[in-house]
């Protein structure tokens, strides 16, 4: 980046930080006195409770509410992803990337896997046109733009596939259990790791994660996959559920570490500020991306759910 571009970027970041501070100050003025100084745990718990209630309500309410939730989730996470990558000297096309990320879930819902292919091809063509006619764009910028949309939008389509395969109401229950398996992985890993974790899992990428927490997280994931095997419409014996739970648990940890690596490379502690106590929505959803697509592939390949790929 040229010095002028870097100065412009820093100025924009300063304006955004100032705007966030004003919003926080306005919200604090309207907060009751007894709630103005909550502990970090209280803030984290309240934010997590709101996120959990909204997720459960949307998933169980029906196909369209869940679809809208996934579209909003994809759009916000894509925006946070591109914001971080711009600080890492990348120039992604946020508009095309966010639009594609939002379009992935409905494309799979209405047109199946062919819909995801159409969105991918459309995004690729649009990025190529952008690359050809906007001379500041580089090939890495095209790659980052495409990756961001696929990472935050395409991977979530696994949840759409699982719900459609089972229909209502059990499709919603299955998707909710997939969310719970991810939450259990995070919760078990945090509780055990913070108490007895001594051996670092990936000290350079995520210093707080330990092997003890990692193993506890896998146990939590497996436990809820065993519950998932009891959902009507899913033909999955317990031994298969254990194996699938282990694989998905590994993917959840990989997704978490991947997002931690992105933040570390970009110089960010959190991907955003939309979820006080947790950071950004991408911080909260990083594990669900790989878990979602992995779960759908395992369930289809194992013949556990009735879904026709072609």
């Amino acid at each position: 980046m040229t010095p002028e571009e870097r100065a412009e970027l820093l100025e924009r970041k300063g304006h955004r930080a100032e705007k966030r501070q004003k919003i926080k100050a306005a919200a604090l003025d309207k907060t009751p006195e007894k709630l103005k100084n909550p502990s970090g745990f209280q803030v984290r718990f309240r934010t997590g409770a709101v996120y959990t209630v909204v997720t459960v309500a949307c998933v169980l309410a029906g196909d369209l509410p869940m679809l809208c939730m996934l579209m909003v989730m994809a759009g916000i996470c894509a925006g946070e992803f591109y914001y971080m990558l711009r600080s890492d000297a990348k120039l992604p096309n946020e508009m095309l990337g966010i639009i594609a990320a939002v379009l992935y879930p409905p494309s799979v819902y209405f047109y199946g896997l062919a819909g995801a292919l159409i969105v991918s091809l459309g995004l690729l063509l649009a990025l190529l046109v952008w690359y050809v006619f906007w001379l500041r764009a580089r090939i890495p910028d095209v790659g980052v733009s495409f990756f961001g949309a696929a990472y935050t939008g395409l991977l979530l389509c696994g949840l759409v596939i699982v719900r459609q395969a089972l229909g209502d109401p059990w499709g919603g229950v299955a998707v909710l259990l997939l969310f719970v398996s991810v939450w259990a992985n995070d919760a078990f890993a945090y509780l055990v790791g913070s108490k007895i974790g001594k051996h670092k899992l990936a000290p350079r990428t995520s210093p707080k994660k330990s092997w003890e927490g990692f193993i506890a997280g896998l146990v939590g994931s497996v436990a809820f996959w065993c519950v998932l095997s009891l959902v009507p419409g899913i033909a999955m014996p317990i031994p298969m559920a254990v194996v699938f739970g282990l694989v998905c648990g590994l993917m959840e940890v990989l997704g978490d570490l991947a997002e931690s690596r992105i933040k570390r490379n970009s110089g960010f502690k959190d991907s955003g500020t939309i979820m006080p106590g947790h950071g950004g929505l991408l911080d909260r959803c990083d594990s669900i991306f790989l878990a979602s697509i992995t779960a759908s592939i395992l369930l289809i390949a194992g013949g556990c759910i009735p879904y026709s790929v072609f």
Side-chain angles (χ1 to χ4, degrees):
M1 297 176 68
T2 64
E4 293 78 10
E5 290 174 339
R6 188 174 296 277
E8 184 182 353
L9 177 62
L10 291 175
E11 185 179 355
R12 288 202 302 268
K13 289 177 68 175
H15 286 319
R16 283 194 289 264
E18 185 179 348
K19 187 180 295 184
R20 285 197 297 268
Q21 289 301 324
K22 288 181 179 179
I23 294 174
K24 289 181 180 179
L28 187 63
D29 289 339
K30 297 180 180 180
T31 303
E33 197 64 38
K34 63 179 181 180
L35 300 177
K36 279 190 176 181
N37 297 300
S39 66
F41 176 78
Q42 288 175 323
V43 173
R44 187 177 178 87
F45 176 80
R46 292 169 189 170
T47 305
V50 172
Y51 169 76
T52 302
V53 169
V54 171
T55 301
V56 172
C58 290
V59 169
L60 296 182
D63 288 2
L64 293 181
M66 191 190 89
L67 187 62
C68 291
M69 180 195 75
L70 294 180
M71 292 169 67
V72 171
M73 184 185 297
I76 294 175
C77 289
E80 293 179 350
F81 173 85
Y82 292 131
Y83 175 68
M84 289 193 295
L85 266 292
R86 276 197 172 271
S87 296
D88 193 27
K90 303 296 189 299
L91 294 173
N93 190 317
E94 293 102 328
M95 183 183 70
L96 292 177
I98 292 174
I99 290 174
V102 171
L103 288 179
Y104 270 120
S107 70
V108 172
Y109 179 79
F110 290 108
Y111 302 107
L113 298 183
L117 180 61
I118 292 171
V119 173
S120 298
L121 289 175
L123 175 61
L124 181 58
L125 290 174
L127 289 173
L128 286 176
V129 172
W130 170 67
Y131 173 69
V132 169
F133 290 100
W134 197 61
L135 299 182
R136 290 173 59 191
R138 302 157 297 174
I139 286 295
D141 302 326
V142 175
V144 165
S145 301
F146 190 90
F147 175 77
Y151 174 55
T152 59
L154 179 60
L155 296 185
L156 283 176
C157 294
L159 300 176
V160 177
I161 291 173
V162 172
R163 186 183 186 101
Q164 280 189 311
L166 296 176
D168 280 327
W170 299 115
V173 173
V175 169
L176 183 58
L177 284 173
L178 289 177
F179 269 103
V180 174
S181 73
V182 174
W183 299 339
N185 189 314
D186 290 343
F188 280 41
Y190 173 76
L191 293 174
V192 173
S194 61
K195 293 294 183 182
I196 62 172
K198 295 181 180 179
H199 302 87
K200 300 299 182 182
L201 176 63
R204 293 186 178 181
T205 302
S206 188
K208 293 183 179 180
K209 287 182 172 53
S210 65
W211 282 102
E212 293 83 357
F214 169 71
I215 295 171
L218 291 182
V219 172
S221 178
V222 168
F224 281 96
W225 267 83
C226 291
V227 176
L228 183 66
S229 68
L230 304 177
V231 174
I234 297 181
M236 181 172 57
I238 293 296
M240 184 181 287
V242 171
V243 174
F244 287 1
L246 285 173
V247 174
C248 265
L250 291 172
M251 291 299 103
E252 291 159 17
V253 175
L254 178 61
D256 194 351
L257 291 175
E259 200 251 350
S260 295
R261 176 69 186 274
I262 292 170
K263 289 190 296 186
R264 185 167 292 275
N265 285 353
S266 304
F268 280 81
K269 181 179 182 294
D270 298 315
S271 66
T273 58
I274 195 172
M275 297 185 68
H278 295 267
L281 187 60
L282 185 58
D283 293 320
R284 198 69 192 88
C285 301
D286 51 9
S287 299
I288 196 66
F289 294 133
L290 281 178
S292 161
I293 198 66
T294 301
S296 62
I297 291 173
L298 291 175
L299 291 173
I300 293 172
C304 305
I305 58 176
Y307 189 85
S308 177
V309 176
F310 301 105

